[in-house]
Amino acid sequence: MKAIRVLLYYFIGLFGIIGVSIIPKVMEEHGFISPVEFSQAYFHFLISLPHHETWVYHFGERSEAILPYLFPPYVYSMKIFTGAIAFGFVAALLLGIVTMLLPACFRRVLIRLSQLLETIPELLFAFGLQLFIVYIYKQTGVLLFHYANYEREIVLLPTFTLSILPMISFYRILLFYMKEEQRKEYVEFARSKGIRSFALILNHILRNLLPYLYQHGKIIIWSTLSSLLVVEYIFNIHGLTAFLLEDFRPIVIAVALTFLFTPFYILFYVFQEWEQKEEFKPISVGPVFMPSWSIRSAIAQLNGKSVIRTAMKWIKSMLRYLKNKKVLGGLLFLVGFSLYSFIYSALKNNELTQKRFLYGEDGKISDIPPHPPSSEFLLGSDQFGFSIADKIVFGAKYTILFAAGIAVLRVIVGFLLAIPYAYFLHGKWKRVIDHMVNVLYFLPLSILAYLLLKPVLWGFKGDWPLGYHERMLYEIILLALLAVPLVMTAIGNEMKLILQREYVTNSHVLGGRGVHVFRKHVLPEIASRFGILFGRQYIQVLLLFVHLGLFQLFFGGTFVNPPDPPMSVSFEWSGLLGDAKNLLITGPYWMIIPVLGAFMVIILTMQFIVEGIEEVQAVHYQKTRKENKKEANRTYSLRKSNDESFLFYNKSGTDGD
């Protein structure tokens, strides 16, 4: 029975992959998608599968059988990917343990270094390594690594490049949850017994982190799959993603995504079975809370006073966060930069500074575009003479605000869906939803976004299927919805972990209803993590903008008019990355380095905000803990004094004189 269920979930994933595969063709042929056209295309694709001529890959004028032709590049891609994940996790685990054993000053240095590395896009890592190899070769004549071509495979260099971001992500997650675990009472008790820090981390803390690492590990693997597309493109690797982009037919997309989906489906199924063993199985709280959670009771408790009281608590909480210098400074920078972008654009009537030619004192032409950085062009100009600085300032408002809007949508919608997921989904229905959501973990976000956005954003000579604002709205909704299921399960699983804590179960035993427990216990704790979750989603959106910009899919639309390079119709920063691959190798560097630097500054700012939120929560946690200890001591003292106030005159039970 279990084998049938596993196969059923697998085929549900395959049907979803087929749906994703035919969407680009439907949108290309009909301009936009409707249920009727989608159903017809889906049916035609299914009936074409038994025909031999469907299973071919077109490469120029050649046609090859698709399965044997794509399998070797798939194996090549998986070598790089699995090596990157394994190296990143092991390195993060060792670094995390070492960091927790170091003095506080060294610990802060390592944390700052990890924050800085996390801001650097993987394409800059890749190009930096390539330039370093070229420099060493020119200076010494020693070629450290060979470059990839059709006859030679390189594995070590792209594997190392791809492993950097998952290593940093695992490292920061390990540190975050290690700090949380060290605040718990069992750690203090173990230390009082003389257990050393190293043994405590290995035998207790790491074991308690396994459920968290499993949940976050899926998101990290999902993000790394997206980065695989970029790394293969930068290193000129002929892996699976390269062949996928060369032949954009539904059968090629379906086969490529199925290749990616199958091994990870098996892997995560094994992990899920392991997680459901008794030692890691969460306490079942669903049947306890379901009868007491109802729409009627929820509405009854939402009176005017409770709403106002809740709103005042939220405002007070926000003010507490704004007292932190990192949170306040980061928000002021982002808001100030956005306002400056609006004001500067309005003052210049949305017209970029442009100079085709620069003239010397003798009146002769001294320079032609692209102009290097100078007093006239602070950051240089592009090939058409437009100021790079103006482009960055003009595009700041679009990049900062639209990324924030997408991240907010992900968190809000994911949270609203996480409530029924945590409270009402149990048993087989929860397993069905989990398996359906797990399909997204095996499909790279960058590839999905590329497949679903290119028919809408790619405008050949200004011919788009949708208007400008419709394209922007479509992209915002799509980039938000692609991550909502993952955010929903992440928040929902956090809620389930909260619901199995002792004080929550005690509250229910004492008569607390589901709505009361949610408002008093679950919501305050889960809401404290919204800022951190928003910050991480914001950074993911920015990195996704970088990935799409590298493949010339710009926010709002890409204007294509050969022989000119594709151009962005808005001034969003990803529109400046269209020729990044050639610019970072051949130059001029000023056309690409300032844009990547702007992305890094915004990511670093958001990291400071997240760090400030964590600091406020740590202080609040310690303060609450001290208050609880004081209250417990006071209660104990009162109880002791009350016990001593009783006088037992006759303990033997007789009336003796």
Side-chain angles (χ1 to χ4, degrees), residues 219 222-223 226 403 405-415 417-418 437-438 440-441 443-446 448-449 452 475-492 533-534 536-541 544:
I219 297 178
W222 176 60
S223 302
S226 297
I406 294 170
V408 167
L409 278 177
R410 288 181 175 185
V411 174
I412 291 177
V413 178
F415 167 69
L417 294 177
V437 172
N438 279 343
L440 291 175
Y441 285 112
L443 303 178
L445 179 60
S446 295
L448 286 179
L452 299 176
E475 185 169 1
I476 290 172
I477 294 175
L478 178 67
L479 295 183
L481 291 181
L482 284 177
V484 161
L486 309 180
V487 175
M488 175 197 73
T489 55
I491 297 176
L533 182 60
F534 166 78
R536 290 173 180 167
Q537 292 299 318
Y538 188 87
I539 293 172
Q540 285 184 7
V541 173
L544 183 58

Side-chain angles (χ1 to χ4, degrees), residues 56-57 64-77 238-244 247 251-257 259:
V56 294
Y57 182 89
E64 301 283 347
I66 191 168
L67 294 178
Y69 190 74
L70 290 184
F71 190 73
Y74 163 72
V75 173
Y76 185 17
S77 295
H238 298 284
L240 182 65
T241 57
F243 286 89
L244 171 63
D247 190 347
I251 186 63
V252 178
I253 298 173
V255 170
L257 294 183
F259 276 162

Side-chain angles (χ1 to χ4, degrees), residues 262-297:
T262 302
F264 292 107
Y265 175 82
I266 298 172
L267 177 66
F268 278 104
Y269 174 77
V270 172
F271 270 111
Q272 230 169 17
E273 290 296 314
W274 167 76
E275 188 191 27
Q276 289 175 359
K277 288 182 180 180
E278 191 63 31
E279 59 266 28
F280 293 109
K281 190 174 181 180
I283 300 172
S284 178
V285 296
V288 175
F289 287 106
M290 283 178 61
S292 59
W293 179 287
S294 65
I295 301 297
R296 182 179 298 176
S297 62

Side-chain angles (χ1 to χ4, degrees), residues 29 50 76 84 103 150 158 167 206 237 244 267 279 283 349 409 418 453-454 457 459 502 509 516 531 596 602 653:
E29 293 178 351
Y76 185 17
Y150 281 101
M167 177 185 67
L206 285 180
I237 292 173
L244 171 63
L267 177 66
E279 59 266 28
I283 300 172
N349 294 321
L409 278 177
L453 287 175
K454 186 172 183 180
L457 299 183
E502 186 177 357
V509 170
H516 171 81
L596 292 176
I602 299 301

Side-chain angles (χ1 to χ4, degrees), residues 73-225:
Y74 163 72
V75 173
Y76 185 17
S77 295
M78 286 300 100
K79 286 180 186 177
I80 297 172
F81 178 79
T82 54
I85 291 294
F87 176 79
F89 178 75
V90 172
L93 186 62
L94 295 176
L95 282 174
I97 295 174
V98 171
T99 302
M100 296 305 296
L101 298 175
L102 288 175
C105 57
F106 293 105
R107 192 184 308 167
R108 285 194 293 270
V109 172
L110 286 176
I111 292 173
R112 287 283 181 267
L113 181 60
S114 69
Q115 289 176 337
L116 180 62
L117 291 175
E118 195 175 21
T119 65
I120 303 175
E122 57 270 74
L123 66 94
L124 199 56
F125 277 120
F127 284 125
L129 287 173
Q130 290 182 4
L131 293 176
F132 175 73
I133 292 169
V134 172
Y135 174 79
I136 294 297
Y137 179 72
K138 287 182 177 180
Q139 297 297 321
T140 64
V142 177
L143 185 61
L144 298 177
F145 297 96
H146 291 282
Y147 285 89
N149 54 41
Y150 281 101
E151 298 179 355
R152 181 191 298 122
E153 291 185 356
I154 60 169
V155 177
L156 185 59
L157 193 60
T159 299
F160 175 74
T161 304
L162 187 62
S163 69
I164 293 174
L165 288 182
M167 177 185 67
I168 296 170
S169 299
F170 276 122
Y171 174 70
R172 289 176 63 81
I173 287 170
L174 278 168
L175 288 185
F176 176 77
Y177 284 109
M178 279 183 180
K179 288 179 181 178
E180 282 204 343
E181 288 293 314
Q182 284 190 335
R183 299 190 190 111
K184 295 181 178 179
E185 294 182 356
Y186 79 88
V187 175
E188 292 185 0
F189 179 75
R191 285 176 175 167
S192 67
K193 290 290 186 180
I195 299 178
R196 296 189 177 186
S197 298
F198 184 72
L200 181 61
I201 292 173
L202 286 182
N203 298 329
H204 299 282
I205 293 179
L206 285 180
R207 186 179 183 278
N208 292 335
L209 296 185
L210 289 177
Y212 298 104
L213 289 176
Y214 169 70
Q215 295 299 331
H216 290 283
K218 292 192 291 186
I219 297 178
I220 293 172
I221 289 176
W222 176 60
S223 302
T224 308
L225 274 173

